[in-house]
Amino acid sequence: MFCDGVRENLRCKKVATYLLCKNISAHMEAKAKSIAPWQDRVGHARQSINSETQLSGDDIEMTVSHGVNYGRYLEKGTHPHDIKRTSVKNKKYTIHHPGTKSYPAIIPAAEYGKKQLDMAIKKLWEE
């Protein structure tokens, strides 16, 4: 009898933890979209920011990420680099790209989510 109550309490806390993670990951997505410092041209980068929460056994995984293939360049920028090309007339040429500055949105949103999650988990499991 005593063990049944403990098991039920633990099961309820696990479910609450999952729902809490799901809620915070949605907040991280919304925050990333709202603080994204780049200038939208067509809006794909901002619209494609997404979050997900997965439960696998006792593990919960939360993600917030870009949905465009150039998202990593928005987050971290690029260093100056050379781009080698071949022209229509098969002539090879090199263009020096000066690099791009970073426009982080995912990293600050994830840091925000980590703080929120830390406080919420402590509160939930201390009850």
Side-chain angles (χ1 to χ4, degrees):
M1 286 202 156
F2 173 76
C3 289
D4 290 341
V6 171
R7 281 190 192 111
E8 180 61 20
N9 186 29
L10 187 57
R11 188 189 70 73
C12 287
K13 294 259 183 171
K14 285 181 179 181
V15 169
T17 301
Y18 171 73
L19 293 173
L20 182 68
C21 289
K22 197 164 178 64
N23 185 298
I24 289 175
S25 70
H27 282 281
M28 289 190 305
E29 177 183 333
K31 182 149 186 89
K33 287 178 178 180
S34 71
I35 67 169
W38 61 79
Q39 181 71 28
D40 286 329
R41 295 207 172 103
V42 292
H44 292 145
R46 190 179 308 269
Q47 293 167 2
S48 72
I49 293 173
N50 60 78
S51 65
E52 189 175 2
T53 304
Q54 293 182 333
L55 179 62
S56 177
D58 286 339
D59 295 332
I60 301 171
E61 183 178 314
M62 298 167 48
T63 59
V64 59
S65 61
H66 283 283
V68 292
N69 60 357
Y70 54 89
R72 72 182 133 229
Y73 306 122
L74 289 170
E75 285 299 309
K76 300 279 187 169
T78 63
H79 297 291
H81 57 282
D82 291 331
I83 304 170
K84 296 180 182 187
R85 296 280 187 224
T86 304
S87 71
V88 176
K89 296 179 181 181
N90 286 331
K91 291 186 178 181
K92 296 187 187 278
Y93 62 97
T94 301
I95 299 171
H96 179 73
H97 190 287
T100 58
K101 71 179 245 181
S102 63
Y103 295 96
I106 301 297
I107 294 169
E111 289 169 353
Y112 162 81
K114 183 180 177 193
K115 289 177 187 171
Q116 297 299 313
L117 183 63
D118 187 46
M119 291 186 307
I121 291 288
K122 284 179 182 175
K123 185 176 178 182
L124 174 67
W125 284 86
E126 286 176 355
E127 291 178 344

